[in-house]
Amino acid sequence: NSAINTTVLINNFKPDVIINSGIAGGSKELSTFDFVIADKLTYSDFDCQVFNYEFGQVPQMPLYYFSDSNLKEKLEAYLTSKNISFKNSIVLTADSFRLSASEIKNNVSTSFATEMEGTSIAQTCYKLNTPFLSFRIISDILDSENHIADYSAFEKEASALASNIALKVINIVCK
């Protein structure tokens, strides 16, 4: 659905950029409510290795999709000016809710956020030649003792925070 909706948005409205925001689970190196800017995005459950592709790589597509560097710099400058701390991280997209970092098969040795739509949006932007920027607020930490309870408790608050920042950022990054 996210790829379909992004395609319709780009084809019908011709936006200059796509800004994707929302919530995500985080690895143990992150904390609940961390603001994460996607350096790059990839799938964490796509496997065509039998055809000599990397794990996570869709055939004839790149393994990683990178947030537009100019948009990313503008977002970082805005956040810094507002004393909002942030982290840059890889964002992994899966078709299922992840409970444990052990479920993630990508060879990711750094901190990461995991969610369910960012890479499909990034892939659509790549195919339709539209710059994109993706960021997330961490709603829960994989493998934590209260993982599901944290998600349930923080989902609405983290989503509202992501939405509020997205609305403020649109004018900043689109100048």
Side-chain angles (χ1 to χ4, degrees):
N1 285 332
S2 56
I4 291 167
N5 289 326
T6 303
T7 302
V8 169
L9 176 67
I10 292 170
N11 286 339
N12 290 341
F13 298 100
K14 313 282 189 252
D16 294 329
V17 302
I18 296 292
I19 298 173
N20 173 237
S21 68
I23 61 174
S27 63
K28 64 182 177 182
E29 295 83 6
L30 297 171
S31 299
T32 304
F33 292 107
D34 274 354
F35 189 101
V36 173
I37 302 172
D39 277 329
K40 58 186 178 181
L41 300 95
T42 192
Y43 295 104
S44 67
D45 58 357
F46 196 91
D47 188 359
C48 277
Q49 293 178 29
V50 68
F51 300 113
N52 296 318
Y53 289 97
E54 296 287 327
F55 188 88
Q57 184 178 15
V58 173
Q60 301 179 12
M61 294 283 109
L63 174 59
Y64 296 111
Y65 302 92
F66 296 88
S67 286
D68 182 87
S69 60
N70 183 46
L71 297 173
K72 192 169 162 277
E73 286 174 15
K74 287 181 179 181
L75 175 58
E76 290 170 347
Y78 170 77
L79 294 171
T80 300
S81 75
K82 298 296 183 185
N83 293 318
I84 299 171
S85 63
F86 62 90
K87 298 178 180 180
N88 292 297
S89 180
I90 186 170
V91 174
L92 305 172
T93 299
D95 282 333
S96 58
F97 189 89
R98 299 298 184 183
L99 297 173
S100 170
S102 65
E103 295 176 28
I104 310 243
K105 294 184 172 84
N106 295 62
N107 188 17
V108 177
S109 59
T110 60
S111 68
F112 62 87
T114 181
E115 40 82 287
M116 299 177 79
E117 58 279 320
T119 305
S120 64
I121 293 168
Q123 181 180 342
T124 303
C125 290
Y126 172 83
K127 290 291 288 180
L128 297 177
N129 200 30
T130 303
F132 78 93
L133 175 66
S134 182
F135 63 86
R136 294 283 191 249
I137 305 296
I138 300 301
S139 60
D140 53 285
I141 304 300
L142 279 71
D143 296 313
S144 68
E145 186 175 323
N146 298 316
H147 177 72
I148 298 300
D150 286 349
Y151 177 82
S152 297
F154 300 129
E155 174 189 21
K156 288 182 183 176
E157 189 177 352
S159 295
L161 179 59
S163 297
N164 288 335
I165 291 175
L167 290 172
K168 291 174 185 174
V169 167
I170 288 170
N171 290 325
I172 304 301
V173 299
C174 294
K175 286 184 181 179

